[in-house]
Amino acid sequence: MIKLRDKEYMKRALELARKGLGKTSPNPAVGAVLVKEGKVIGEGYHERAGGPHAEIRALEAAGSQAQGATLYVTLEPCCHYGRTPPCTQALIEAGVKRVVVAMLDPNPRVQGKGCRILREAGIEVEVGLLEQEARRLNEAYIKFITCGLPWVTLKVACSLDGKIATRTGASRWITGEEAREKVHRLRNIHDAVLTGVGTIIADNPRLTVRLQEEGVRDPVRVILDSTLRIPLDAQVLHLSSPAPTLIATTPRAKKEIKRQLEDMGVEVLTVPEEEGRVAWMPLLKELARRGIMSVLIEGGAAINASALNSRIVDKAVFFLAPKILGGEEIPAVGGRGIDSLEEAWELKDLEIELCGRDIMISGYLR
């Protein structure tokens, strides 16, 4: 039975779990709160893959007080040996009396088994409190586990009339400082940021996270370049960052340029092509194989159109600047467009937020 303050404690567990977003891949982000006699006696979250799980952190903080306590956890406790021992056994040994779980783990190695083991040990288990919030928190993990593919977010910054640059190609900066900070936060929680070589040639971006706070990390940079046109002095090739830059190309790539890039220590992935471009699905499968659970697309008109046409985008985030650029060139989404409104890419579950003078609109692709 859900008790009076259960929701309050689970909200705190979700808050803790968010601290691990982008740092735990290919594992989920999980938060845990231990409560006894109306008092929080231990908290924890999963900080990195291979590190202690949220439940273990909370148990360590509580010590012997965990006996008879209630645990609030955002994901079903694990019951198998991986890089860490099973959390179910630790909870049983600590004498935890009750466990409130937001959602079951979709991983076939768990998927209800963790809760069953706890119940068989005499622990009261309840599942489903704030489940929707927990699923949203780990939407990338859920897709990764169930489909074997990364979660894909499309980010676009444009004017009110849908332009991402002026007719001369000037694009810095369409949006203001607050919106740009939001983009860096998006990069910080995604495993990879992806763009096309056209953006590299036009803007020479770094594609790093520039937030003045602790705990930030750069995503892997993925550049789509079907024939290897990338300038060898591009910033993304010469960064002192722990995260690598990967160049995805096709069998049509210039062999000499590929050799030069590899001599520079840059990894070049050759994947099949589709309509003259790097094929999305083989690339996403390769990224998933490397443990990349989420991808943020920051491309130009062609990349954006290709991603949408290929139906690989799960979520879109648009930053609209209160500016009108006019002209017929450089739209946010290129391609030939659609013939009827019924074919439009429609977003659901919209969220709208003011970022300084800009408006952020995000939603999920139907």
Side-chain angles (χ1 to χ4, degrees):
M1 178 186 295
I2 297 301
K3 299 180 182 178
L4 186 62
R5 298 185 66 186
D6 283 352
K7 189 175 289 187
E8 173 189 334
Y9 296 131
M10 187 61 81
K11 284 182 177 178
R12 174 56 181 164
L14 288 164
E15 184 181 314
L16 289 166
R18 290 186 187 97
K19 294 183 177 184
L21 279 175
K23 304 176 181 68
T24 63
S25 296
N27 295 339
V30 183
V33 176
L34 267 171
V35 177
K36 189 172 185 179
E37 298 175 354
K39 179 183 176 183
V40 175
I41 58 172
E43 294 184 336
Y45 70 95
H46 189 35
E47 299 175 21
R48 58 177 179 81
H53 288 188
E55 301 94 318
I56 304 303
R57 287 292 193 197
L59 288 171
E60 288 173 345
S64 60
Q65 294 183 81
Q67 179 83 31
T70 295
L71 174 76
Y72 298 85
V73 63
T74 58
L75 187 72
E76 177 182 11
C78 67
C79 55
H80 61 278
Y81 281 89
R83 282 188 275 187
T84 59
C87 292
T88 49
Q89 190 59 37
L91 293 170
I92 293 167
E93 291 174 358
V96 170
K97 180 181 180 182
R98 177 174 176 247
V99 175
V100 182
V101 178
M103 64 170 283
L104 296 179
D105 191 337
N107 188 330
R109 300 178 71 185
V110 187
Q111 213 168 33
K113 298 172 190 171
C115 289
R116 187 176 70 246
I117 289 170
L118 294 176
R119 288 189 178 109
E120 289 172 352
I123 296 174
E124 179 186 348
V125 179
E126 297 176 37
V127 180
L129 180 62
L130 300 185
E131 180 177 0
Q132 187 59 33
E133 290 88 339
R135 294 184 70 84
R136 281 286 168 86
L137 173 75
N138 272 313
E139 55 198 7
Y141 169 73
I142 293 170
K143 182 185 178 184
F144 184 79
I145 286 294
T146 59
C147 302
L149 292 170
W151 178 267
V152 178
T153 302
L154 174 67
K155 165 257 158 182
V156 176
C158 62
S159 62
L160 284 179
D161 55 339
K163 300 296 189 297
I164 57 175
T166 68
R167 65 178 182 177
T168 62
S171 61
R172 294 187 178 181
W173 296 103
I174 286 180
T175 53
E177 187 175 332
E178 291 90 342
R180 296 199 298 276
E181 179 181 328
K182 203 77 166 179
V183 172
H184 284 283
R185 295 197 179 281
L186 281 173
R187 289 180 185 174
N188 190 42
I189 63 171
H190 283 79
D191 295 333
V193 58
L194 181 150
T195 194
V197 69
T199 297
I200 301 298
I201 293 170
D203 299 335
N204 195 21
R206 285 180 282 173
L207 300 177
T208 54
V209 176
R210 296 185 290 282
L211 295 172
Q212 301 303 312
E213 56 191 55
E214 291 185 6
V216 301
R217 60 51 159 164
D218 292 335
V220 173
R221 294 163 294 277
V222 181
I223 315 301
L224 305 190
D225 188 356
S226 56
T227 59
L228 292 186
R229 296 187 294 129
I230 189 168
L232 297 181
D233 61 353
Q235 288 194 99
V236 290
L237 303 180
H238 300 279
L239 294 168
S240 55
S241 168
T245 295
L246 305 177
I247 300 182
T249 191
T250 69
R252 294 187 294 116
K254 302 165 187 171
K255 291 182 172 54
E256 176 59 25
I257 301 298
K258 181 180 180 183
R259 185 189 62 77
Q260 287 180 278
L261 287 166
E262 290 173 340
D263 287 346
M264 292 165 56
V266 177
E267 185 173 3
V268 181
L269 305 176
T270 301
V271 297
E273 63 179 307
E274 187 174 336
E275 296 181 356
R277 296 179 176 276
V278 172
W280 283 107
M281 201 53 67
L283 173 61
L284 292 176
K285 287 179 179 178
E286 173 59 25
L287 295 180
R289 190 187 67 79
R290 293 163 178 256
I292 291 175
M293 204 161 68
S294 57
V295 176
L296 178 66
I297 296 178
E298 293 191 52
I303 292 288
N304 296 344
S306 173
L308 288 166
N309 282 323
S310 297
R311 308 267 177 198
I312 63 155
V313 178
D314 298 294
K315 185 176 183 179
V317 181
F318 275 66
F319 294 90
L320 301 181
K323 301 171 183 175
I324 299 171
L325 303 187
E328 299 178 358
E329 300 175 349
I330 318 186
V333 180
R336 66 179 293 272
I338 60 172
D339 296 322
S340 66
L341 288 175
E342 287 73 25
E343 299 173 31
W345 301 288
E346 188 174 352
L347 302 183
K348 64 178 182 178
D349 299 336
L350 292 180
E351 291 186 10
I352 301 173
E353 181 180 333
L354 198 61
C355 299
R357 296 181 67 241
D358 305 312
I359 300 171
M360 184 183 80
I361 302 176
S362 63
Y364 296 84
L365 271 294
R366 288 191 182 275

